[in-house]
Amino acid sequence: MSFPILLDDTSTYPVSNAYGLTNVPTVFWIGTSGKIEISSVGWSRKDYEAIGARMAEARNIPPALLIQVQEKIDDFRFG
């Protein structure tokens, strides 16, 4: 991954507990205003593609293909 990722302390999960997170993965796109613009719980192809598009837009580059055509990955799977 080429963007900042924050990982919780796996012995006590202080951040997850503070935000009430119960499932992994839980991913957020936080806009330049500091507000959460996209939140995704579990695996959602649509959400990850939206986050990928926002990353590309922020860097002014074309979006990367996150999932290859030959990959057999569900569109949604709860965490």
Side-chain angles (χ1 to χ4, degrees):
M1 302 263 180
S2 60
F3 54 91
I5 298 174
L6 302 175
L7 300 175
D8 211 350
D9 176 352
T10 58
S11 62
T12 60
Y13 301 100
V15 177
S16 296
N17 291 329
Y19 286 94
L21 303 179
T22 57
N23 298 81
V24 292
T26 298
V27 179
F28 300 98
W29 175 263
I30 301 171
T32 55
S33 67
K35 294 186 179 191
I36 295 172
E37 296 178 2
I38 302 171
S39 65
S40 181
V41 177
W43 162 257
S44 167
R45 179 188 300 249
K46 183 179 103 179
D47 292 346
Y48 278 75
E49 288 174 345
I51 290 170
R54 292 282 182 95
M55 285 191 297
E57 182 182 314
R59 305 254 342 232
N60 199 28
I61 59 174
L65 183 61
L66 300 177
I67 300 167
Q68 303 300 313
V69 175
Q70 71 274 16
E71 293 180 287
K72 304 289 185 211
I73 298 175
D74 296 335
D75 287 337
F76 177 80
R77 188 176 338 171
F78 197 71

